[in-house]
Amino acid sequence: GESVGLHLPTLSVQEGDNSIINCAYSNSASDYFIWYKQESGKGPQFIIDIRSNMDKRQGQRVTVLLNKTVKHLSLQIAATQPGDSAVYFCAENRPGGYQKVTFGIGTKLQVIP
Amino acid sequence: EAGVVQSPRYKIIEKKQPVAFWCNPISGHNTLYWYRQNLGQGPELLIRYENEEAVDDSQLPKDRFSAERLKGVDSTLKIQPAELGDSAVYLCASSPSAAGEGYNEQFFGPGTRLTVL
């Protein structure tokens, strides 16, 4: 079946460096994508989203890139900080107002002080 | 502003026992979701409510799982009887409304970690 997945399960980054977390999706009909951050013992927290009619969106220290040609999504975190250590999930939303979000497996980001 | 509240935070039970989880969504949020999250995986939707109506329960194992949101606010999720494979974190989320086009940000609670022995 169609699914959302991640390339790397664990990513270790030196504090101050930039982080790039990747995600592959296979549902070409999805029109909305979201990145969530989940810290230990907490629920997922919304980071940034992007609609399928865009290829880039920037937030505070985070940028999401969408490549619909190869069905690839990435999250870039600038100047990674220890507080960024968490599991990051990409998620896709089906079109037509149907609010069903499908989550990927997750990537664990470890920031090395 | 208070976030999504869930209780209990942790629950340990023996298999075949019943268990219930409670969720209080953010005030004014009409849409409520229950997810199950297995270790190392992303959350999987179990059921979605629009006010008191369950509009998507296709992923809810109805032989042992049940949920209710009687007054369109708080919700409970029940498992009876629990099985070993039910061990997971059960997350509740809410959003303003799922009506119409577009996506509304979901706000998640901290979850209930269930361990079935």
Side-chain angles (χ1 to χ4, degrees):
Chain A
E2 295 184 324
S3 64
V4 177
L6 294 171
H7 295 299
L8 298 174
T10 304
L11 178 65
S12 295
V13 177
Q14 201 74 35
E15 180 179 357
D17 288 351
N18 296 334
S19 302
I20 300 176
I21 300 172
N22 297 302
C23 173
Y25 67 94
S26 58
N27 190 334
S28 58
S30 294
D31 63 353
Y32 195 87
F33 302 88
I34 313 105
W35 280 101
Y36 285 91
K37 172 186 180 182
Q38 187 172 25
E39 297 175 278
S40 180
K42 298 183 179 179
Q45 179 185 10
F46 174 94
I47 301 174
I48 192 168
D49 56 7
I50 188 168
R51 294 191 180 276
S52 60
N53 61 355
M54 303 170 66
D55 54 18
K56 181 179 180 179
R57 191 171 186 207
Q58 288 184 296
Q60 186 177 10
R61 283 201 307 119
V62 295
T63 301
V64 56
L65 299 178
L66 175 62
N67 186 331
K68 294 182 290 294
T69 301
V70 295
K71 298 178 186 173
H72 185 267
L73 194 68
S74 68
L75 176 70
Q76 299 179 1
I77 304 174
T80 311
Q81 302 170 358
D84 295 327
S85 293
V87 177
Y88 290 80
F89 294 96
C90 67
E92 60 180 320
N93 185 71
R94 298 177 184 177
Y98 184 66
Q99 302 261 343
K100 184 168 184 175
V101 174
T102 301
F103 286 79
I105 298 174
T107 293
K108 183 177 182 179
L109 177 64
Q110 295 179 323
V111 181
I112 304 169
Chain B
E1 179 182 336
V4 176
V5 179
Q6 291 189 248
S7 70
R9 290 297 312 277
Y10 304 92
K11 189 73 176 178
I12 301 174
I13 61 172
E14 294 187 346
K15 62 181 180 182
K16 300 185 181 180
Q17 295 300 306
V19 64
F21 315 121
W22 176 80
C23 173
N24 178 240
I26 293 173
S27 178
H29 282 191
N30 298 326
T31 308
L32 184 145
Y33 313 76
W34 282 103
Y35 288 87
R36 175 169 59 190
Q37 185 174 26
N38 294 311
L39 186 64
Q41 298 183 18
E44 297 176 318
L45 181 69
L46 292 174
I47 189 168
R48 173 170 69 94
Y49 281 93
E50 284 295 327
N51 298 303
E52 65 276 6
E53 181 182 2
V55 296
D56 182 4
D57 62 356
S58 58
Q59 301 301 312
L60 190 72
K62 298 180 182 61
D63 58 335
R64 299 183 299 107
F65 286 65
S66 64
E68 59 182 16
R69 194 185 184 199
L70 295 177
K71 297 183 179 180
V73 180
D74 294 359
S75 177
T76 57
L77 177 68
K78 298 178 182 178
I79 308 175
Q80 182 172 8
E83 297 179 353
L84 295 176
D86 295 332
S87 294
V89 174
Y90 290 83
L91 293 162
C92 179
S94 68
S95 64
S97 176
E101 295 294 325
Y103 173 82
N104 287 304
E105 180 182 344
Q106 296 183 31
F107 295 83
F108 285 82
T112 297
R113 180 176 295 278
L114 173 68
T115 302
V116 182
L117 303 176

